[in-house]
């Protein structure tokens, strides 16, 4: 299974490289005096997404004969490496995909265009309420949300049923821990993926208690004691056999724990259901996030992908037109379906609905059941949060291997994160 997955990854990479050459050729070499202007448009994704993107670009170029799109795509990690290099050398793309975790960092560096100040500002009134302010930094709109997602519990109903564990409408964290421990004793797999390895889950866990992880001015508001309690949950559940051994997790890569059938459940972004379902033969479901506060799940509608324009673009009006098209035009929603996550705009979400896969449709249904929790905008992460997120995962892995104590792990994360936020 793993060898097949690696072969598939290499094949997709080769296809992506070949398709990129075709896409770039389709972008043309316009820009001569009197000809159409060129917009460099960069995004992350695979060859499948690039094929869909070319369909959308073809419509845009037909309706905007004065604009030629020069596309460029890569996988997520390579995308940010390339963007850092390009921005340092003054070669930032005219239009670029943006991640919520990096928005403030690029905005603070003066690299992003204020989309409210262009000739025809990108309209956001049709976006879901929780996403309308997602791209605003210090009162300036540096991005517009293209898609959205939130957190949930993804699980294998058959494994819980076989263990005699009923799924309630909502669990407390303590009840969830007891349940996944029971599942692990009888299901032939761990009860849960280690949710304490994810900084986003720690943030939600704090929010359910009326606390926040970071303040708006970029300080850590959570205490050492908060993180120590959170990570101790993971240590205790791993000792009880509820989490899979870390060496098995590492051996399964690049397949996920859920895809490798190492765990019966996970707490993660609801949009991950599609990936897990694609890796596993199991029938997976979505349920509400555990919460020790029945009145507050701590959830927000989180921007999945955003679109920004380079502050130094020679064509701000055309860049805004492309962003508007990609975010709001129903035909784009029809083309992509749920490929980039559920669309942020109502018009695109409605157009995408008939094309949603069974798993994407399940995500949409889940979000409808918790819609009352998804109207408050997500708090904008401070610059440096990407480094903090990576450190959280890496240090927790050391905990999982038993190489570091909880107290030392907490101190290390606070030291690294405080340095990254300066």
């Amino acid at each position: 299974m793993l060898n097949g997955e690696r072969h598939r990854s290499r094949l997709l990479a080769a296809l992506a490289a070949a398709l990129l050459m075709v896409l770039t050729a389709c972008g043309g070499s316009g820009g001569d005096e009197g000809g159409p202007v060129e917009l460099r448009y960069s995004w992350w994704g695979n060859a499948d997404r690039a094929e869909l993107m070319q369909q959308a670009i073809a419509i845009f170029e037909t309706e905007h004969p004065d604009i030629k799109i020069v596309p460029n795509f890569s996988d997520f990690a390579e995308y940010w490496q390339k963007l850092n290099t390009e921005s340092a050398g003054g070669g930032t793309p005219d239009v670029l995909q943006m991640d919520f975790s990096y928005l403030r960092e690029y905005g603070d560096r003066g690299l992003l265009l204020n989309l409210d100040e262009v000739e025809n500002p990108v309209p956001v009134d049709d976006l879901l309420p929780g996403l309308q302010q997602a791209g605003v930094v210090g009162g300036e709109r540096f991005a517009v949300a293209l898609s959205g997602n939130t957190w949930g519990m993804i699980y294998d109903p058959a494994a819980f049923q076989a263990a005699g564990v009923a799924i309630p409408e909502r669990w407390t964290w303590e009840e969830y821990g007891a349940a996944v421990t029971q599942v692990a004793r009888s299901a032939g797999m761990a009860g849960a993926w280690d949710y304490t390895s994810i900084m986003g889950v720690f943030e939600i866990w704090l929010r359910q208690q009326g606390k926040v992880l970071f303040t708006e001015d970029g300080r850590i508001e959570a205490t050492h004691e908060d993180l120590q309690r959170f990570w101790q949950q993971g240590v205790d559940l791993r000792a009880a056999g509820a989490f899979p051994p870390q060496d098995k997790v590492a051996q399964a890569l690049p397949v996920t724990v859920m895809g490798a059938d190492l765990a019966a459940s996970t707490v993660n972004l609801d949009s991950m259901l599609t990936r897990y379902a694609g890796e596993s033969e199991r029938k997976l479901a979505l349920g509400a996030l555990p919460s020790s506060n029945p009145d507050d799940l701590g959830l927000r509608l989180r921007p999945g992908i955003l679109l920004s324009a380079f502050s130094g673009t020679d064509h701000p009006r055309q860049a805004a037109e492309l962003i508007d098209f990609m975010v709001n035009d129903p035909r784009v929603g029809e083309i992509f379906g749920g490929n980039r996550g559920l669309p942020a705009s109502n018009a695109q979400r409605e157009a995408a609905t008939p094309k949603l896969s069974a798993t994407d449709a399940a995500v949409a249904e889940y979000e409808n059941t918790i819609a009352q929790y998804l109207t408050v905008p997500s708090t904008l992460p401070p610059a440096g949060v990407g480094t903090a997120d990576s450190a959280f995962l890496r240090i927790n892995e050391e905990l999982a291997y038993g190489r570091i104590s909880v107290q030392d792990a907490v101190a290390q994360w606070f030291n690294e994160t405080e340095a990254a936020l300066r």
Side-chain angles (χ1 to χ4, degrees), residues 38-166:
E38 287 188 348
L39 288 181
R40 293 178 58 224
Y41 178 23
S42 292
W43 70 89
W44 63 82
N46 58 17
D48 293 337
R49 181 174 295 177
E51 290 178 1
L52 299 174
M53 188 71 77
Q54 184 54 40
Q55 295 177 38
I57 287 173
I59 295 174
F60 180 81
E61 289 183 331
T62 298
E63 297 183 353
H64 299 80
D66 60 326
I67 305 173
K68 294 295 291 182
I69 307 301
V70 181
N72 191 306
F73 71 96
S74 53
D75 65 36
F76 187 81
E78 182 185 349
Y79 175 86
W80 294 106
Q81 294 169 0
K82 185 184 299 184
L83 189 58
N84 278 332
T85 300
E86 290 173 334
S87 60
T92 308
D94 298 282
V95 176
L96 58 149
Q97 270 188 194
M98 180 53 56
D99 184 84
F100 200 47
S101 297
Y102 292 96
L103 179 61
R104 188 187 292 273
E105 177 181 339
Y106 279 82
D108 288 351
R109 288 165 58 189
L111 294 170
L112 304 180
L113 181 69
N114 184 348
L115 296 170
D116 284 338
E117 293 185 350
V118 296
E119 185 176 332
N120 294 307
V122 179
V124 298
D125 53 303
D126 191 48
L127 271 60
L128 275 65
L131 296 174
Q132 291 183 4
Q133 296 300 309
V136 177
V137 181
E140 297 184 271
R141 180 171 296 283
F142 290 143
V144 178
L146 183 72
S147 64
N149 52 32
T150 191
W151 297 83
M153 182 189 67
I154 302 172
Y155 66 100
D156 177 355
F160 280 80
Q161 184 177 6
V165 177

Side-chain angles (χ1 to χ4, degrees), residues 344-374:
S345 73
N346 289 297
Q348 283 199 2
R349 191 166 283 216
E350 181 179 350
T353 298
K355 291 198 64 176
L356 293 180
S357 66
T359 51
D360 288 330
V363 173
E365 182 180 356
Y366 165 68
E367 290 188 7
N368 285 336
T369 66
I370 57 170
Q372 70 270 28
Y373 298 104
L374 305 180

Side-chain angles (χ1 to χ4, degrees), residues 174-187:
E174 292 77 12
E175 291 168 343
Y176 178 61
V180 296
T181 301
Q182 182 175 336
V183 169
R185 290 171 181 160
S186 58

Side-chain angles (χ1 to χ4, degrees), residues 249-273:
V249 174
Q251 290 167 11
L253 293 173
V255 180
T256 64
V257 168
M258 294 297 288
D261 299 336
L262 293 177
S265 69
T266 183
V267 174
N268 213 315
L269 293 170
D270 57 8
S271 55
M272 291 296 292
L273 176 65

Side-chain angles (χ1 to χ4, degrees), residues 90-316:
T92 308
D94 298 282
V95 176
L96 58 149
Q97 270 188 194
M98 180 53 56
D99 184 84
F100 200 47
S101 297
Y102 292 96
L103 179 61
R104 188 187 292 273
E105 177 181 339
Y106 279 82
D108 288 351
R109 288 165 58 189
L111 294 170
L112 304 180
L113 181 69
N114 184 348
L115 296 170
D116 284 338
E117 293 185 350
V118 296
E119 185 176 332
N120 294 307
V122 179
V124 298
D125 53 303
D126 191 48
L127 271 60
L128 275 65
L131 296 174
Q132 291 183 4
Q133 296 300 309
V136 177
V137 181
E140 297 184 271
R141 180 171 296 283
F142 290 143
V144 178
L146 183 72
S147 64
N149 52 32
T150 191
W151 297 83
M153 182 189 67
I154 302 172
Y155 66 100
D156 177 355
F160 280 80
Q161 184 177 6
V165 177
I167 307 292
E169 182 178 347
R170 192 165 303 146
W171 265 315
T172 65
W173 288 105
E174 292 77 12
E175 291 168 343
Y176 178 61
V180 296
T181 301
Q182 182 175 336
V183 169
R185 290 171 181 160
S186 58
M189 67 179 75
W193 196 347
D194 180 7
Y195 64 84
T196 66
S197 67
I198 305 172
M199 193 177 77
V201 179
F202 178 48
E203 186 172 18
I204 290 172
W205 182 79
L206 289 168
R207 197 181 295 140
Q208 291 172 349
Q209 303 172 55
K211 303 176 182 180
V212 296
L213 178 52
F214 300 111
T215 62
E216 290 188 5
D217 59 356
R219 292 179 294 103
I220 308 173
E221 185 165 296
T223 65
H224 284 64
E225 290 74 18
D226 288 327
L227 183 52
Q228 189 159 337
R229 284 197 300 127
F230 184 72
W231 268 345
Q232 188 63 49
Q233 290 181 49
V235 170
D236 293 343
L237 287 169
R238 180 169 285 101
F243 293 164
Q246 189 62 33
D247 58 347
K248 288 189 176 182
V249 174
Q251 290 167 11
L253 293 173
V255 180
T256 64
V257 168
M258 294 297 288
D261 299 336
L262 293 177
S265 69
T266 183
V267 174
N268 213 315
L269 293 170
D270 57 8
S271 55
M272 291 296 292
L273 176 65
T274 299
R275 176 176 178 181
Y276 299 153
E279 292 178 336
S280 173
E281 296 296 324
R282 295 184 292 170
K283 292 185 178 180
L284 303 175
L286 259 172
L289 196 73
S291 176
S292 298
N293 180 355
D295 297 323
D296 189 357
L297 295 181
L299 293 176
R300 302 287 186 268
L301 189 56
R302 177 186 178 276
I305 294 174
L306 302 102
L307 287 182
S308 296
F310 175 40
S311 58
T313 178
D314 293 329
H315 312 291

